[in-house]
Amino acid sequence: AKGGTVANRVAKARGQAEDFEAMFLNSMFQQMFEGVGKGPFSGGPGATIWRSFLTDEYSKSFVKKGGIGLANEVERALLAQQEIR
């Protein structure tokens, strides 16, 4: 069947949905930390790089723990689009 088995399509849609949610959360965390100027984010050339690693790990961790529900909605939309085709 085109696109693989149903289980493969569901797994792929779930992975894409979780990746999307992680990117969304990463963007939110980056904004949250933008104005932080104390502690490990007090400046220097490594602060921006460190902050990007931190927000990336936060976002992945949130998604692994269930996220904010965005992945569920994206997964439903992706699977619905496949049914239309």
Side-chain angles (χ1 to χ4, degrees):
K2 187 177 181 181
T5 67
V6 173
N8 287 345
R9 287 187 287 155
V10 169
K12 185 175 179 181
R14 184 64 194 179
Q16 291 172 335
E18 288 178 354
D19 288 347
F20 180 83
E21 183 172 4
M23 286 182 2
F24 174 81
L25 287 171
N26 192 13
S27 178
M28 295 298 104
F29 288 135
Q30 286 176 8
Q31 292 299 314
M32 183 177 75
F33 283 109
E34 190 66 31
V36 176
K38 297 180 182 175
F41 307 116
S42 60
T48 303
I49 295 169
W50 169 251
R51 183 171 39 233
S52 71
F53 288 138
L54 182 64
T55 58
D56 189 47
E57 289 304 313
Y58 277 164
S59 62
K60 289 176 186 176
S61 177
F62 267 61
V63 171
K64 285 179 186 174
K65 296 290 184 182
I68 58 173
L70 185 59
N72 295 336
E73 297 303 317
V74 172
E75 178 184 18
R76 279 191 211 115
L78 289 172
L79 292 173
Q81 281 183 331
Q82 290 179 23
E83 291 300 317
I84 291 170
R85 295 181 190 171

